[in-house]
Amino acid sequence: MGFIAFLILGLIAGAIAKLILPGKQGGGWFITLLLGVVGALLGGWLGSVLFDAPLEEFWSLQTWLLAIGGSLIVLLIYGLIVGRRKR
């Protein structure tokens, strides 16, 4: 998968993760992009380590689910860190 496709995947995965999680998360589109890309990396790494999943195809359902799952994990961690600072 190319670099631009990876950024697009991360942005969309981050946006979907924000829609799935309840409550209000901070950050704009740039934070969503960063969290989505980090989440896609995390999800891809976990998928390859745990499930031996090939992640070369952009339109693969497996790739998208792992990217969204990784983005959810990263967004939850981000929410815990930012939530502690506000208190």
Coordinates of all heavy atoms in Angstrom, one line a residue:
M1 N 0.9 -1.2 0.0 CA 0.0 0.0 0.0 C 0.9 1.2 0.0 O 1.9 1.3 0.7 CB -0.9 0.0 1.2 CG -1.9 1.1 1.3 SD -3.1 1.1 2.7 CE -2.9 -0.4 3.5
G2 N 0.6 2.2 -0.8 CA 1.4 3.4 -0.9 C 1.2 4.4 0.3 O 0.2 4.2 1.1
F3 N 2.0 5.4 0.4 CA 2.0 6.3 1.5 C 0.7 7.1 1.5 O 0.1 7.3 2.6 CB 3.2 7.2 1.4 CG 3.3 8.2 2.5 CD1 3.7 7.8 3.8 CD2 3.0 9.6 2.3 CE1 3.7 8.7 4.8 CE2 3.1 10.5 3.4 CZ 3.5 10.0 4.6
I4 N 0.2 7.6 0.4 CA -1.0 8.4 0.3 C -2.2 7.5 0.7 O -3.1 8.0 1.5 CB -1.2 9.0 -1.0 CG1 0.0 9.9 -1.4 CG2 -2.5 9.7 -1.2 CD1 0.1 11.1 -0.5
A5 N -2.2 6.3 0.2 CA -3.3 5.4 0.6 C -3.3 5.1 2.1 O -4.4 5.0 2.7 CB -3.2 4.1 -0.2
F6 N -2.1 5.0 2.7 CA -2.0 4.7 4.1 C -2.5 5.9 4.9 O -3.2 5.8 5.9 CB -0.6 4.4 4.5 CG -0.4 4.0 5.9 CD1 -0.8 2.8 6.3 CD2 0.2 4.9 6.8 CE1 -0.6 2.4 7.6 CE2 0.4 4.5 8.1 CZ 0.0 3.3 8.5
L7 N -2.2 7.1 4.4 CA -2.8 8.3 5.1 C -4.3 8.4 5.0 O -5.0 8.8 6.0 CB -2.1 9.6 4.5 CG -0.7 9.9 4.9 CD1 -0.2 11.1 4.2 CD2 -0.5 10.0 6.4
I8 N -4.8 8.1 3.8 CA -6.3 8.1 3.7 C -6.9 7.1 4.6 O -7.9 7.3 5.2 CB -6.6 7.9 2.2 CG1 -6.2 9.1 1.4 CG2 -8.1 7.6 2.0 CD1 -6.3 8.9 -0.1
L9 N -6.3 5.9 4.6 CA -6.8 4.8 5.5 C -6.8 5.3 6.9 O -7.8 5.1 7.7 CB -6.0 3.5 5.3 CG -6.3 2.4 6.2 CD1 -7.7 1.8 5.9 CD2 -5.2 1.3 6.1
G10 N -5.7 5.9 7.4 CA -5.6 6.3 8.7 C -6.6 7.4 9.1 O -7.2 7.4 10.1
L11 N -6.9 8.3 8.1 CA -7.8 9.4 8.4 C -9.2 8.9 8.5 O -10.0 9.2 9.4 CB -7.8 10.4 7.2 CG -8.8 11.6 7.3 CD1 -8.6 12.4 8.5 CD2 -8.7 12.4 6.0
I12 N -9.6 8.0 7.6 CA -10.9 7.4 7.6 C -11.1 6.5 8.8 O -12.2 6.5 9.5 CB -11.2 6.7 6.3 CG1 -11.3 7.7 5.2 CG2 -12.6 5.9 6.4 CD1 -11.3 7.0 3.8
A13 N -10.1 5.7 9.2 CA -10.2 4.8 10.3 C -10.3 5.7 11.6 O -11.1 5.3 12.5 CB -9.0 3.9 10.4
G14 N -9.6 6.8 11.7 CA -9.7 7.6 12.9 C -11.0 8.3 13.0 O -11.6 8.4 14.1
A15 N -11.6 8.7 11.9 CA -12.9 9.3 11.9 C -14.0 8.3 12.3 O -14.9 8.6 13.1 CB -13.3 9.9 10.5
I16 N -13.9 7.0 11.8 CA -14.8 6.0 12.2 C -14.7 5.7 13.7 O -15.7 5.5 14.3 CB -14.6 4.7 11.3 CG1 -15.1 5.1 9.9 CG2 -15.4 3.5 11.8 CD1 -14.7 4.0 8.8
A17 N -13.5 5.6 14.1 CA -13.2 5.3 15.6 C -13.9 6.4 16.4 O -14.4 6.1 17.5 CB -11.7 5.2 15.9
K18 N -13.8 7.7 16.0 CA -14.4 8.8 16.7 C -15.9 8.6 16.7 O -16.6 9.0 17.7 CB -14.0 10.1 16.2 CG -12.7 10.7 16.7 CD -12.6 12.2 16.4 CE -11.6 12.8 17.2 NZ -11.5 14.2 17.0
L19 N -16.5 8.2 15.6 CA -17.9 8.0 15.6 C -18.4 6.8 16.5 O -19.5 6.9 17.0 CB -18.3 7.7 14.1 CG -18.3 8.9 13.2 CD1 -18.6 8.5 11.8 CD2 -19.2 10.0 13.6
I20 N -17.6 5.8 16.6 CA -17.9 4.6 17.4 C -17.9 4.9 18.9 O -18.7 4.5 19.6 CB -17.0 3.4 17.0 CG1 -17.3 3.0 15.6 CG2 -17.2 2.3 18.0 CD1 -16.3 1.9 15.1
L21 N -16.8 5.6 19.3 CA -16.7 5.9 20.7 C -17.7 6.9 21.2 O -17.9 7.9 20.6 CB -15.3 6.4 21.0 CG -14.2 5.4 21.0 CD1 -12.8 6.1 21.3 CD2 -14.4 4.3 22.0
P22 N -18.3 6.6 22.3 CA -19.3 7.6 22.9 C -18.6 8.7 23.5 O -17.4 8.7 23.9 CB -20.1 6.8 23.9 CG -19.1 5.7 24.3 CD -18.3 5.4 23.1
G23 N -19.3 9.8 23.7 CA -18.7 11.0 24.3 C -18.1 11.9 23.4 O -18.0 11.7 22.2
K24 N -17.6 13.0 23.9 CA -16.9 14.0 23.1 C -15.4 13.9 23.2 O -14.9 14.0 24.3 CB -17.4 15.4 23.5 CG -16.8 16.5 22.6 CD -17.3 17.9 23.1 CE -16.7 18.9 22.2 NZ -17.1 20.3 22.6
Q25 N -14.8 13.7 22.1 CA -13.3 13.6 22.1 C -12.8 14.9 21.5 O -13.4 15.5 20.6 CB -12.8 12.5 21.2 CG -13.1 11.1 21.7 CD -14.4 10.6 21.2 OE1 -14.9 11.0 20.2 NE2 -15.0 9.7 22.0
G26 N -11.7 15.4 22.0 CA -11.1 16.6 21.6 C -10.3 16.4 20.3 O -10.1 15.3 19.8
G27 N -9.8 17.5 19.8 CA -9.0 17.4 18.6 C -9.8 17.6 17.3 O -10.9 17.2 17.2
G28 N -9.1 18.2 16.4 CA -9.7 18.4 15.1 C -9.3 17.3 14.1 O -9.0 16.2 14.4
W29 N -9.3 17.7 12.8 CA -9.0 16.8 11.8 C -7.6 16.3 11.8 O -7.3 15.2 11.4 CB -9.4 17.3 10.4 CG -8.6 18.5 9.9 CD1 -8.9 19.8 10.2 CD2 -7.4 18.4 9.2 NE1 -7.9 20.6 9.6 CE2 -7.0 19.7 9.0 CE3 -6.6 17.4 8.7 CZ2 -5.8 20.1 8.3 CZ3 -5.4 17.7 8.0 CH2 -5.1 19.0 7.8
F30 N -6.7 17.2 12.2 CA -5.2 16.9 12.2 C -5.0 15.8 13.3 O -4.2 14.9 13.1 CB -4.4 18.1 12.4 CG -2.9 17.8 12.3 CD1 -2.4 17.6 11.0 CD2 -2.1 17.8 13.4 CE1 -1.0 17.3 10.9 CE2 -0.7 17.5 13.3 CZ -0.2 17.3 12.0
I31 N -5.5 16.0 14.5 CA -5.4 15.0 15.5 C -6.0 13.7 15.1 O -5.5 12.6 15.4 CB -6.0 15.5 16.9 CG1 -5.3 16.7 17.3 CG2 -6.0 14.4 17.9 CD1 -3.8 16.5 17.7
T32 N -7.2 13.8 14.4 CA -7.8 12.6 13.9 C -6.9 11.8 12.9 O -6.8 10.6 13.0 CB -9.2 12.9 13.2 OG1 -10.0 13.6 14.2 CG2 -9.9 11.7 12.7
L33 N -6.3 12.6 12.1 CA -5.4 12.0 11.1 C -4.2 11.3 11.8 O -3.9 10.2 11.5 CB -4.8 13.0 10.1 CG -3.7 12.6 9.1 CD1 -4.3 11.6 8.2 CD2 -3.1 13.7 8.4
L34 N -3.6 12.0 12.8 CA -2.5 11.4 13.5 C -2.9 10.2 14.3 O -2.2 9.2 14.2 CB -1.9 12.5 14.5 CG -1.1 13.6 13.8 CD1 -0.6 14.6 14.9 CD2 0.1 13.1 13.1
L35 N -4.0 10.3 15.0 CA -4.4 9.1 15.8 C -4.8 8.0 14.9 O -4.6 6.8 15.2 CB -5.6 9.5 16.7 CG -5.3 10.5 17.8 CD1 -6.6 10.8 18.6 CD2 -4.3 9.9 18.7
G36 N -5.4 8.3 13.7 CA -5.8 7.2 12.8 C -4.6 6.6 12.2 O -4.6 5.3 12.0
V37 N -3.6 7.3 11.8 CA -2.4 6.7 11.2 C -1.7 5.9 12.3 O -1.3 4.7 12.0 CB -1.5 7.8 10.6 CG1 -0.1 7.2 10.3 CG2 -2.1 8.4 9.4
V38 N -1.6 6.4 13.5 CA -0.9 5.6 14.6 C -1.8 4.4 14.9 O -1.2 3.3 15.0 CB -0.7 6.5 15.8 CG1 -0.3 5.6 17.0 CG2 0.3 7.6 15.6
G39 N -3.1 4.5 14.9 CA -4.0 3.4 15.1 C -3.9 2.4 14.0 O -3.9 1.1 14.2
A40 N -3.8 2.8 12.7 CA -3.6 1.9 11.6 C -2.3 1.1 11.7 O -2.2 -0.1 11.4 CB -3.7 2.7 10.3
L41 N -1.2 1.8 12.1 CA 0.1 1.2 12.4 C -0.1 0.1 13.5 O 0.4 -1.0 13.3 CB 1.1 2.2 12.7 CG 1.8 2.9 11.6 CD1 2.6 4.1 12.2 CD2 2.6 2.0 10.8
L42 N -0.7 0.5 14.6 CA -0.9 -0.4 15.7 C -1.7 -1.6 15.3 O -1.4 -2.8 15.6 CB -1.5 0.3 16.9 CG -1.8 -0.5 18.1 CD1 -0.5 -1.0 18.7 CD2 -2.6 0.2 19.1
G43 N -2.8 -1.3 14.6 CA -3.7 -2.4 14.2 C -3.1 -3.3 13.2 O -3.2 -4.6 13.3
G44 N -2.3 -2.8 12.3 CA -1.6 -3.6 11.3 C -0.5 -4.5 12.0 O -0.4 -5.6 11.7
W45 N 0.2 -3.9 12.9 CA 1.2 -4.6 13.6 C 0.6 -5.7 14.5 O 1.1 -6.9 14.4 CB 2.0 -3.7 14.5 CG 3.1 -4.4 15.3 CD1 4.3 -4.9 14.8 CD2 3.0 -4.7 16.7 NE1 5.0 -5.5 15.9 CE2 4.2 -5.4 17.0 CE3 2.1 -4.5 17.7 CZ2 4.5 -5.9 18.3 CZ3 2.4 -5.0 19.0 CH2 3.6 -5.7 19.2
L46 N -0.4 -5.4 15.2 CA -1.1 -6.4 16.0 C -1.7 -7.5 15.2 O -1.6 -8.7 15.5 CB -2.2 -5.8 16.9 CG -1.8 -5.0 18.1 CD1 -3.0 -4.3 18.8 CD2 -1.0 -5.9 19.1
G47 N -2.3 -7.1 14.0 CA -2.8 -8.1 13.1 C -1.8 -9.1 12.5 O -2.0 -10.3 12.4
S48 N -0.6 -8.5 12.2 CA 0.4 -9.4 11.7 C 1.1 -10.2 12.7 O 1.4 -11.4 12.4 CB 1.5 -8.5 11.0 OG 2.2 -7.7 11.9
V49 N 1.1 -9.7 14.0 CA 1.8 -10.5 15.0 C 0.8 -11.6 15.5 O 1.1 -12.8 15.7 CB 2.2 -9.6 16.2 CG1 2.6 -10.4 17.4 CG2 3.4 -8.8 15.8
L50 N -0.5 -11.2 15.8 CA -1.4 -12.1 16.4 C -2.1 -13.1 15.4 O -2.3 -14.2 15.7 CB -2.5 -11.4 17.2 CG -2.0 -10.5 18.4 CD1 -3.2 -9.7 18.9 CD2 -1.4 -11.4 19.4
F51 N -2.4 -12.6 14.2 CA -3.2 -13.3 13.3 C -2.5 -13.7 12.0 O -3.1 -14.3 11.1 CB -4.5 -12.5 12.9 CG -5.3 -12.1 14.1 CD1 -5.5 -10.8 14.3 CD2 -5.8 -13.0 15.0 CE1 -6.2 -10.3 15.4 CE2 -6.5 -12.6 16.1 CZ -6.7 -11.2 16.3
D52 N -1.2 -13.2 11.9 CA -0.4 -13.4 10.6 C -1.2 -12.9 9.4 O -1.3 -13.6 8.4 CB -0.1 -14.9 10.5 CG 1.0 -15.1 9.5 OD1 1.9 -14.1 9.3 OD2 1.1 -16.1 8.8
A53 N -1.8 -11.7 9.6 CA -2.7 -11.1 8.6 C -1.9 -10.4 7.5 O -1.1 -9.5 7.9 CB -3.7 -10.2 9.2
P54 N -2.1 -10.6 6.2 CA -1.4 -9.8 5.2 C -2.2 -8.5 5.0 O -3.4 -8.5 5.0 CB -1.5 -10.7 3.9 CG -2.7 -11.6 4.2 CD -2.8 -11.8 5.7
L55 N -1.5 -7.4 5.0 CA -2.2 -6.1 4.9 C -1.8 -5.2 3.8 O -1.6 -4.0 3.9 CB -1.9 -5.4 6.3 CG -2.3 -6.1 7.5 CD1 -1.8 -5.4 8.7 CD2 -3.8 -6.2 7.6
E56 N -1.6 -5.9 2.6 CA -1.1 -5.1 1.4 C -2.2 -4.5 0.6 O -2.0 -3.5 -0.1 CB -0.3 -6.0 0.5 CG 1.0 -6.5 1.1 CD 0.9 -7.7 2.0 OE1 -0.1 -8.5 1.8 OE2 1.7 -7.9 2.9
E57 N -3.4 -5.0 0.8 CA -4.5 -4.5 0.0 C -5.3 -3.4 0.7 O -5.7 -3.5 1.8 CB -5.5 -5.6 -0.4 CG -4.9 -6.7 -1.2 CD -4.6 -6.2 -2.6 OE1 -5.4 -5.4 -3.2 OE2 -3.6 -6.6 -3.2
F58 N -5.6 -2.3 0.0 CA -6.3 -1.1 0.5 C -7.7 -1.5 0.8 O -8.3 -1.1 1.8 CB -6.1 0.1 -0.4 CG -6.8 1.3 0.1 CD1 -6.2 2.1 1.1 CD2 -8.0 1.7 -0.4 CE1 -6.8 3.2 1.6 CE2 -8.7 2.9 0.1 CZ -8.0 3.6 1.1
W59 N -8.4 -2.2 -0.2 CA -9.8 -2.4 -0.1 C -10.1 -3.7 0.6 O -11.3 -4.2 0.6 CB -10.4 -2.5 -1.5 CG -10.4 -1.1 -2.1 CD1 -9.6 -0.8 -3.2 CD2 -11.1 0.0 -1.7 NE1 -9.8 0.5 -3.5 CE2 -10.7 1.1 -2.6 CE3 -12.0 0.3 -0.7 CZ2 -11.2 2.4 -2.5 CZ3 -12.5 1.6 -0.6 CH2 -12.1 2.6 -1.5
S60 N -9.2 -4.3 1.3 CA -9.5 -5.5 2.1 C -10.2 -5.2 3.4 O -9.8 -4.3 4.1 CB -8.1 -6.2 2.4 OG -8.3 -7.2 3.4
L61 N -11.2 -6.0 3.7 CA -12.0 -5.8 4.9 C -11.2 -6.0 6.1 O -11.3 -5.3 7.1 CB -13.2 -6.7 4.9 CG -14.1 -6.6 6.1 CD1 -14.8 -5.2 6.2 CD2 -15.2 -7.7 6.1
Q62 N -10.3 -6.9 6.0 CA -9.4 -7.2 7.1 C -8.5 -6.1 7.5 O -8.3 -5.7 8.6 CB -8.5 -8.4 6.7 CG -7.5 -8.9 7.7 CD -6.8 -10.1 7.2 OE1 -7.5 -11.0 6.7 NE2 -5.5 -10.2 7.3
T63 N -8.0 -5.4 6.4 CA -7.1 -4.2 6.6 C -7.9 -3.1 7.3 O -7.4 -2.5 8.3 CB -6.6 -3.7 5.3 OG1 -5.8 -4.8 4.7 CG2 -5.7 -2.5 5.4
W64 N -9.1 -2.9 6.9 CA -9.9 -1.8 7.5 C -10.3 -2.1 8.9 O -10.3 -1.2 9.8 CB -11.2 -1.6 6.6 CG -10.8 -0.8 5.4 CD1 -10.4 -1.3 4.2 CD2 -10.8 0.6 5.3 NE1 -10.2 -0.2 3.3 CE2 -10.4 0.9 4.0 CE3 -11.1 1.7 6.2 CZ2 -10.3 2.3 3.5 CZ3 -11.0 3.0 5.7 CH2 -10.6 3.3 4.4
L65 N -10.7 -3.3 9.2 CA -11.1 -3.7 10.5 C -9.9 -3.6 11.5 O -10.1 -3.1 12.6 CB -11.7 -5.1 10.6 CG -13.0 -5.3 9.9 CD1 -13.5 -6.7 10.0 CD2 -14.1 -4.4 10.6
L66 N -8.7 -4.0 11.1 CA -7.6 -3.8 11.9 C -7.2 -2.4 12.2 O -6.8 -2.0 13.3 CB -6.4 -4.6 11.4 CG -6.5 -6.1 11.5 CD1 -5.4 -6.8 10.7 CD2 -6.4 -6.6 12.9
A67 N -7.3 -1.6 11.1 CA -7.0 -0.1 11.2 C -8.0 0.6 12.1 O -7.6 1.4 13.0 CB -7.0 0.5 9.8
I68 N -9.2 0.2 12.0 CA -10.3 0.8 12.9 C -10.1 0.4 14.3 O -10.2 1.2 15.3 CB -11.7 0.5 12.4 CG1 -11.9 1.3 11.0 CG2 -12.7 1.0 13.4 CD1 -13.1 0.8 10.3
G69 N -9.8 -0.9 14.5 CA -9.6 -1.4 15.9 C -8.4 -0.8 16.5 O -8.4 -0.4 17.7
G70 N -7.3 -0.6 15.7 CA -6.1 0.1 16.3 C -6.4 1.5 16.6 O -5.9 2.0 17.6
S71 N -7.2 2.2 15.7 CA -7.6 3.6 16.0 C -8.4 3.7 17.3 O -8.3 4.7 18.0 CB -8.3 4.1 14.8 OG -7.5 4.2 13.7
L72 N -9.3 2.7 17.5 CA -10.1 2.7 18.7 C -9.2 2.6 19.9 O -9.4 3.4 20.9 CB -11.1 1.6 18.7 CG -12.3 1.8 17.9 CD1 -13.1 0.5 17.7 CD2 -13.2 2.9 18.4
I73 N -8.2 1.8 19.9 CA -7.3 1.6 21.0 C -6.5 2.9 21.2 O -6.4 3.4 22.4 CB -6.3 0.4 20.8 CG1 -7.1 -0.9 20.8 CG2 -5.2 0.4 21.8 CD1 -6.3 -2.1 20.3
V74 N -6.0 3.5 20.2 CA -5.2 4.7 20.3 C -6.1 5.9 20.8 O -5.7 6.7 21.6 CB -4.5 5.1 19.0 CG1 -3.9 6.5 19.0 CG2 -3.4 4.0 18.6
L75 N -7.3 5.9 20.3 CA -8.2 7.0 20.7 C -8.6 6.9 22.2 O -8.7 7.9 22.9 CB -9.5 7.0 19.8 CG -10.3 8.3 19.9 CD1 -9.5 9.5 19.5 CD2 -11.5 8.1 18.9
L76 N -8.8 5.6 22.7 CA -9.1 5.4 24.1 C -7.9 5.8 24.9 O -8.1 6.5 26.0 CB -9.4 3.9 24.3 CG -10.8 3.5 23.9 CD1 -10.9 2.0 24.0 CD2 -11.9 4.1 24.7
I77 N -6.7 5.5 24.5 CA -5.5 5.9 25.3 C -5.4 7.4 25.3 O -5.1 8.0 26.3 CB -4.3 5.2 24.7 CG1 -4.3 3.7 25.0 CG2 -3.0 5.8 25.3 CD1 -3.3 2.9 24.3
Y78 N -5.6 8.0 24.1 CA -5.5 9.5 24.0 C -6.6 10.1 24.9 O -6.3 11.1 25.6 CB -5.8 9.9 22.5 CG -5.8 11.4 22.3 CD1 -4.7 12.1 22.3 CD2 -7.0 12.0 22.1 CE1 -4.7 13.5 22.1 CE2 -7.1 13.4 21.9 CZ -5.9 14.1 21.9 OH -6.0 15.5 21.7
G79 N -7.8 9.6 25.0 CA -8.8 10.1 25.8 C -8.5 10.0 27.3 O -8.7 10.9 28.1
L80 N -7.8 8.9 27.7 CA -7.4 8.8 29.1 C -6.3 9.8 29.4 O -6.3 10.4 30.5 CB -6.9 7.4 29.3 CG -7.9 6.3 29.3 CD1 -7.3 4.9 29.4 CD2 -8.9 6.5 30.5
I81 N -5.4 10.0 28.5 CA -4.3 11.0 28.8 C -4.8 12.4 28.8 O -4.5 13.1 29.7 CB -3.2 10.8 27.7 CG1 -2.5 9.5 27.9 CG2 -2.2 12.0 27.8 CD1 -1.5 9.1 26.8
V82 N -5.6 12.8 27.8 CA -6.1 14.2 27.8 C -7.1 14.4 28.9 O -7.2 15.5 29.5 CB -6.7 14.4 26.4 CG1 -7.4 15.8 26.4 CG2 -5.6 14.4 25.3
G83 N -7.9 13.4 29.2 CA -8.9 13.5 30.3 C -8.2 13.7 31.7 O -8.8 14.4 32.5
R84 N -7.1 13.1 31.9 CA -6.4 13.3 33.2 C -5.8 14.7 33.3 O -5.7 15.3 34.4 CB -5.3 12.3 33.3 CG -5.7 10.9 33.6 CD -4.6 10.0 33.8 NE -5.1 8.7 34.0 CZ -4.3 7.6 33.9 NH1 -3.1 7.7 33.6 NH2 -4.8 6.4 34.1
R85 N -5.4 15.3 32.2 CA -4.9 16.7 32.2 C -5.9 17.7 32.5 O -5.6 18.7 33.1 CB -4.3 17.0 30.8 CG -3.0 16.3 30.6 CD -2.4 16.9 29.3 NE -1.4 16.0 28.8 CZ -0.9 16.0 27.6 NH1 -1.3 16.9 26.8 NH2 0.1 15.2 27.2
K86 N -7.2 17.5 32.1 CA -8.2 18.4 32.3 C -8.7 18.5 33.8 O -9.3 19.4 34.2 CB -9.4 18.2 31.4 CG -9.1 18.5 29.9 CD -10.3 18.2 29.1 CE -10.0 18.6 27.6 NZ -11.1 18.3 26.8
R87 N -8.5 17.4 34.5 CA -9.0 17.3 35.9 C -8.1 18.0 36.8 O -7.2 18.4 36.9 CB -9.2 15.9 36.3 CG -10.3 15.2 35.5 CD -10.4 13.8 36.0 NE -11.3 13.1 35.0 CZ -11.5 11.9 35.0 NH1 -10.9 11.1 35.9 NH2 -12.3 11.3 34.2

